[in-house]
Amino acid sequence: MGKEKNPRRVADNEAMAKTTMLRTSPQKLNLVAGLIRGKKVETALSDLTFSKRRIAGDVKKCLQSAIANAENNHNLDVDNLIVAEAWVGKNMVLKRGRPRARGRYGRILKPFSEITIKLREVDPAAAAAAAEAKKAARKPATAATAEEQA
């Protein structure tokens, strides 16, 4: 007679985590999010660990939370996880001010933002095949293949 269970917001092979109220602008946070998109979680963690950006530590915490959610809540294998999506959103903005010359007022905006990280478990064989296909697509065309195409 109780309430029904909430449906999962992500697929069966996915897990996600969200961090709000990060004290940086969404534009700066999106640069760090772009650093980890599409990478394996081990690579993403090492990239965030050695990043010089101040907000990278908070993004690393969010990524570790998503990994813990995948392992504990959804029984996913940590070794096969990739960062499927990482998106950034705006949050509140503190409005501050500073007196300027001739009685004017300089407005100072201090934005906050939020990040959501979605991890996906991929089959190792399928991931290797996709990597090979991607590598083959990036390989420059040789003179022989250029003549064949023409």
Side-chain angles (χ1 to χ4, degrees):
M1 191 66 199
K3 282 194 339 186
E4 290 184 19
K5 183 179 171 184
N6 282 337
R8 281 195 61 183
R9 295 183 185 142
V10 291
D12 290 336
N13 63 339
E14 293 179 344
M16 70 183 232
K18 183 175 186 175
T19 302
T20 59
M21 301 298 288
L22 292 172
R23 181 57 191 88
T24 187
S25 71
Q27 185 176 6
K28 292 177 186 176
L29 185 59
N30 196 34
L31 292 173
V32 178
L35 185 69
I36 63 171
R37 281 189 195 109
K39 293 186 177 179
K40 291 183 66 67
V41 290
E42 300 89 26
T43 310
L45 280 173
S46 65
D47 287 352
L48 290 173
T49 301
F50 297 108
S51 174
K52 291 185 177 182
R53 297 206 173 254
R54 177 188 62 85
I55 204 65
D58 293 328
V59 175
K60 182 180 173 185
K61 279 186 189 178
C62 183
L63 179 59
Q64 288 171 332
S65 175
I67 292 169
N69 288 344
E71 185 177 14
N72 298 321
N73 299 347
H74 307 304
N75 300 321
L76 301 178
D77 186 17
V78 178
D79 297 329
N80 298 333
L81 289 177
I82 62 164
V83 180
E85 299 174 32
W87 68 90
V88 173
K90 290 167 64 173
N91 210 312
M92 71 173 209
V93 177
L94 293 177
K95 280 95 174 175
R96 299 291 182 259
R98 179 173 176 84
R100 305 303 292 173
R102 296 167 58 184
R104 294 192 177 129
Y105 178 78
R107 196 165 187 199
I108 298 174
L109 301 176
K110 298 179 178 257
F112 284 70
S113 51
E114 54 190 46
I115 185 167
T116 307
I117 297 176
K118 188 184 287 188
L119 304 179
R120 184 175 296 133
E121 185 179 33
V122 294
D123 183 36
E132 285 295 322
K134 191 174 184 181
K135 189 185 290 186
R138 278 189 288 162
K139 187 183 287 188
T142 61
T145 56
E147 291 174 6
E148 291 173 8
Q149 291 175 356

